[in-house]
Amino acid sequence: MELKRSLGFAEVFCIASGAMISSGIFILPSLAFLYSGPAIIFSYLLGAVFIIPAMLSKAELATAMPKSGGSYYFTNTSLGPLFGTFAGFTNWLSLAMKSAFALLGIGIFLQLLVPESVNFDTELVVKILAVLCTLFFMVMNILSVKESGRFQVILVVFLLAAMILYVLAGFFSVNPEHFNDFFASKYNPNPAPIPTIYLMIWTAGLIFVSFGGLTNIASIAAEVKNPGKTIPSAMFTAFVVVSLLYAAIAFITVGILTPQEMAETQTPLSTAADKFWGTPGFILMALAAMSAFITTANAGIMSASRNPMAMAEDNLIPEVFGKVSYKYQTPYVSIILTSLFMIFSILVLDLEGLVKVASAMMLLLAVFDNLSLILMRASRLTNYKPVFKVPFYPVIPIAGVLINALMLIQLGWIPLLITGAFFAVSLLWYFIYSKSRIQRTYALIHVVERLTNKEIQTENLENELKNILMERDEIQEDRFDKIIKTAAILNLTESDGEPTRTDIFHMIAHELAKRLPLSESEIVVLLEEREKESSTVISDELAIPHFLFQGTQQFEIVVIRSEKGIVFEENKAPVKAIFALAGSIDERNFHLQTLMAIAQIVKNTDFMKNWQALKSPNDIRNSILLADRIRKKGV
């Protein structure tokens, strides 16, 4: 069962924003301050800069292939199922762990609101509260993705309002002396002297998880209305708004709290608000923090759960994980699995461990996203048609690969070892379970095909992309499309020589005679007679030879592409695109409608340029089926 497209700009913006604003700003500043001091302001700005290549790459990939799974689907389609398996598990794991991190944050702030006279095991209570919240969000996401999206909007609006108010009110309490040792590394707990620029980059890698949620919306692209426009606009808006808030909040918080207070508190924003607002400010920011954690957890479950579903559809994991509720149209099995893993992470891992492992995996996925974009562009797939395109290609994706790889290395050996072990387990799963169950081509094969000039059977990916585009652009097939899907397609290359108009008519007649109650010679005569009445060359490089015959309810089309061109008339440009039409007399009206459809297709920008770049009959067919034109029901 297909997922329903029910999320608009507001929901997608709030999912992206809510997934970003959580522990990354409400808890992490105090941890990051230990390493780079007041320079964490620049670390947040660096984090924003570092996410740009992955954000742009993911925006292009998501507008070209708005499918569930996000980074998994992009990696699987470009690098193949071996790396796709790893990316799928990694994307699922990192999103789930980030959500678990947020849920622990809810528990931390809830216990702050409990009177000190109440004695309890703080760590145990925090984890119990986080588990209960996980179960609540699990049920919400199973019942309705749209209601979950609306819930997200309400919380994010409150959250943004509280953060803006915090910045405006706190500005007047900032102590400039707190920035005197801005680039000092004395806050670093490591006794060895380390250059400040290194610490800033390392800290940016640590807090990268704060920005990772921005690209989560690619995982739910299949449920976004008008994804070609909605996804990039919502993603870029969320990036600008949240990045500016991050830097402003880091500035206000460092300017209000002393270095000792920054190092000792787990709740820096609430502690700072308490200094200039008192208890009401403390409570407001605690509520804002919990709202942030709720939005992150909700968005995380929503996004992470789409990975097992997408992997199940591709036979990389058992198909049970791809089941969609008939009543609620949500992937309930995948949601339950994700929630159970989050509960496990909450109970077993500590806060800093969650952050480092989740950040390492998100950085690795960012590398895959940029590599995926490079391969998709390099493959020159006919049906790879993103609405948004990354500017300054290939500089930006290559820079993204290098930057994210460098940041990944800077995180240290433990997260790298955990990620490496996870990679080994993923590959083991692929060779034991997945490899024998999948047969698909991917962009890397198309790149090899293009570079070696060898024909490889790679049409199934083109067809897959065609189906995605038809769903993305909500193309409803009409009668013309149905005829094109079964029409004879002739692709004449330079090796076919220089056929004359008569040769072409014989080729057309040979194909039509297989489908019509007419002989080849009869068809040739009809084509020649029609050509004598008036030329069927419609415009430069396009001809539409056609005829009507006695009969009922019969209509056929033969499409020909010629690399060198065919001379239909002297002193006119060679014809490179031919649509030959043959219909019974009672189909006269549809004959005219077909002429209008072809006219709309060839009027599209760069039609002939793209037509000449097509490589196979399948490419030719898909280019016609995906062309922008007015479609009429019943036509």
Side-chain angles (χ1 to χ4, degrees):
M1 179 183 293
E2 293 292 327
L3 298 176
K4 185 178 180 181
R5 292 192 181 277
S6 57
L7 302 174
F9 174 85
E11 290 90 353
V12 177
F13 166 78
C14 289
I15 289 170
S17 300
M20 290 174 69
I21 307 171
S22 63
S23 308
I25 195 64
F26 283 98
I27 291 179
L28 271 186
S30 56
L31 181 62
F33 187 85
L34 292 175
Y35 295 96
S36 56
I40 63 167
I41 299 170
F42 282 174
S43 292
Y44 274 101
L45 291 174
L46 277 175
V49 171
F50 292 160
I51 195 66
I52 288 176
M55 175 185 68
L56 294 176
S57 295
K58 216 158 189 178
E60 175 173 322
L61 293 167
T63 62
M65 301 176 288
K67 294 281 289 181
S68 294
S71 292
Y72 153 70
Y73 185 80
F74 306 147
T75 304
N76 196 42
T77 305
S78 59
L79 287 164
L82 190 150
F83 285 98
T85 300
F86 174 60
F89 284 132
T90 301
N91 199 26
W92 173 67
L93 185 72
S94 62
L95 290 173
M97 292 181 75
K98 185 175 188 296
S99 299
F101 180 28
L103 288 166
L104 282 174
I106 295 176
I108 289 172
F109 279 89
L110 274 177
Q111 59 95 14
L112 288 177
L113 300 178
V114 176
E116 294 182 1
S117 58
V118 179
N119 295 319
F120 54 78
D121 185 332
T122 301
E123 184 177 353
L124 177 63
V125 171
V126 166
K127 292 192 172 186
I128 290 175
L129 290 172
V131 169
L132 292 176
C133 289
T134 304
L135 296 174
F136 170 75
F137 296 132
M138 179 186 75
V139 173
M140 177 179 289
N141 274 274
I142 289 174
L143 294 180
S144 173
V145 66
K146 185 168 182 64
E147 292 305 319
S148 183
R150 287 176 177 173
F151 177 66
Q152 189 86 351
V153 170
I154 295 170
L155 288 176
V156 169
V157 169
F158 164 73
L159 173 60
L160 292 177
M163 293 175 70
I164 292 171
L165 188 60
Y166 172 85
V167 171
L168 295 177
F171 180 79
F172 299 100
S173 300
V174 168
N175 185 349
E177 294 181 1
H178 290 181
F179 302 99
N180 288 342
D181 296 323
F182 195 85
F183 292 104
S185 58
K186 66 180 182 180
Y187 306 102
N188 174 31
N190 191 328
I194 300 176
T196 303
I197 185 64
Y198 175 88
L199 288 173
M200 286 170 54
I201 294 174
W202 189 93
T203 306
L206 176 68
I207 63 175
F208 189 79
V209 69
S210 308
F211 295 90
L214 172 67
T215 58
N216 286 1
I217 55 177
S219 296
I220 57 169
E223 295 156 272
V224 176
K225 293 184 286 188
N226 192 9
K229 293 182 179 179
T230 302
I231 290 176
S233 59
M235 188 182 290
F236 299 156
T237 304
F239 169 75
V240 172
V241 171
V242 176
S243 296
L244 292 175
L245 278 174
Y246 272 178
I249 287 173
F251 171 79
I252 297 298
T253 306
V254 171
I256 292 175
L257 297 181
T258 64
Q260 184 178 356
E261 289 171 331
M262 281 291 294
E264 292 178 352
T265 181
Q266 274 191 308
T267 58
L269 271 67
S270 293
T271 304
D274 185 47
K275 292 188 71 172
F276 65 83
W277 265 343
T279 301
F282 179 88
I283 294 174
L284 176 63
M285 295 315 296
L287 293 175
M290 286 189 286
S291 297
F293 298 136
I294 289 171
T295 60
T296 297
N298 184 45
I301 292 177
M302 192 185 304
S303 302
S305 61
R306 272 52 180 178
N307 282 275
M309 181 188 72
M311 294 177 72
E313 290 177 351
D314 291 335
N315 296 316
L316 293 180
I317 60 177
E319 62 180 12
V320 65
F321 296 111
K323 285 191 174 183
V324 176
S325 168
Y326 180 81
K327 181 177 180 181
Y328 303 113
Q329 293 184 296
T330 55
Y332 66 98
V333 175
S334 184
I335 290 172
I336 293 172
L337 173 68
T338 300
S339 302
L340 291 176
F341 175 76
M342 286 171 58
I343 290 173
F344 171 79
S345 299
I346 289 167
L347 296 176
V348 172
L349 296 177
D350 62 14
L351 198 63
E352 188 169 352
L354 275 172
V355 174
K356 287 185 177 180
V357 176
S359 288
M361 291 186 172
M362 286 184 177
L363 285 166
L364 189 58
L365 287 171
V367 171
F368 283 156
D369 289 334
N370 288 293
L371 285 175
S372 295
L373 173 67
I374 293 170
L375 285 173
M376 293 304 293
R377 289 277 196 104
S379 68
R380 297 184 184 176
L381 287 156
T382 304
N383 294 329
Y384 177 71
K385 297 181 178 180
V387 177
F388 167 82
K389 285 191 174 183
V390 173
F392 307 112
Y393 174 88
V395 174
I396 286 181
I398 291 175
V401 170
L402 297 176
I403 290 171
N404 295 134
L406 176 63
M407 292 174 66
L408 179 62
I409 295 171
Q410 303 303 316
L411 284 178
W413 286 107
I414 294 179
L416 285 176
L417 287 174
I418 293 175
T419 304
F422 193 69
F423 180 70
V425 172
S426 298
L427 294 190
L428 186 64
W429 174 272
Y430 169 77
F431 285 110
I432 293 177
Y433 180 86
S434 307
K435 187 177 181 181
S436 61
R437 290 174 165 81
I438 52 177
Q439 289 184 340
R440 67 167 298 156
T441 57
Y442 40 96
L444 184 58
I445 292 179
H446 283 261
V447 175
V448 173
E449 179 184 42
R450 186 170 66 83
L451 294 178
T452 60
N453 291 317
K454 292 183 178 179
E455 291 294 330
I456 305 174
Q457 297 299 318
T458 56
E459 289 188 350
N460 61 349
L461 180 54
E462 286 282 20
N463 291 331
E464 181 180 343
L465 292 174
K466 179 203 71 177
N467 294 332
I468 293 172
L469 290 176
M470 293 187 74
E471 181 183 351
R472 182 195 73 183
D473 297 337
E474 298 182 346
I475 295 176
Q476 299 295 323
E477 285 187 353
D478 59 9
R479 187 181 174 192
F480 177 81
D481 288 321
K482 292 175 181 177
I483 292 174
I484 290 295
K485 289 178 76 171
T486 59
I489 308 287
L490 304 180
N491 184 32
L492 305 182
T493 63
E494 291 189 2
S495 61
D496 293 310
E498 298 182 7
T500 64
R501 186 183 73 188
T502 301
D503 294 330
I504 292 297
F505 282 176
H506 278 280
M507 291 180 189
I508 294 171
H510 178 73
E511 296 297 334
L512 290 177
K514 301 174 185 178
R515 307 171 184 230
L516 299 176
L518 297 171
S519 66
E520 288 188 33
S521 59
E522 289 174 322
I523 294 172
V524 171
V525 170
L526 290 170
L527 287 168
E528 291 287 3
E529 288 179 350
R530 174 62 188 83
E531 199 68 29
K532 289 177 183 178
E533 292 177 13
S534 63
S535 175
T536 57
V537 178
I538 306 301
S539 62
D540 288 348
E541 303 181 313
L542 170 68
I544 309 180
H546 57 278
F547 64 87
L548 296 173
F549 61 91
Q550 295 295 328
T552 57
Q553 297 182 342
Q554 288 184 301
F555 198 94
E556 295 293 339
I557 299 176
V558 176
V559 181
I560 301 176
R561 186 193 80 103
S562 173
E563 282 187 3
K564 298 189 70 173
I566 300 126
V567 177
F568 263 58
E569 291 184 78
E570 292 184 6
N571 303 321
K572 286 195 174 182
V575 171
K576 296 183 177 179
I578 299 173
F579 290 79
L581 315 180
S584 54
I585 293 177
D586 62 326
E587 295 285 4
R588 190 182 300 273
N589 287 337
F590 181 67
H591 185 97
L592 295 174
Q593 292 164 356
T594 300
L595 289 173
M596 292 175 61
I598 295 171
Q600 291 178 40
I601 291 171
V602 299
K603 284 182 179 178
N604 285 325
T605 305
D606 295 331
F607 167 79
M608 193 52 64
K609 178 182 177 182
N610 295 333
W611 181 262
Q612 285 299 92
L614 300 174
K615 298 179 292 185
S616 69
N618 192 58
D619 290 343
I620 296 169
R621 193 187 313 277
N622 288 338
S623 71
I624 299 170
L625 293 172
L626 295 171
D628 184 22
R629 65 180 180 83
I630 298 173
R631 287 170 168 80
K632 298 180 180 179
K633 293 183 179 180
V635 174

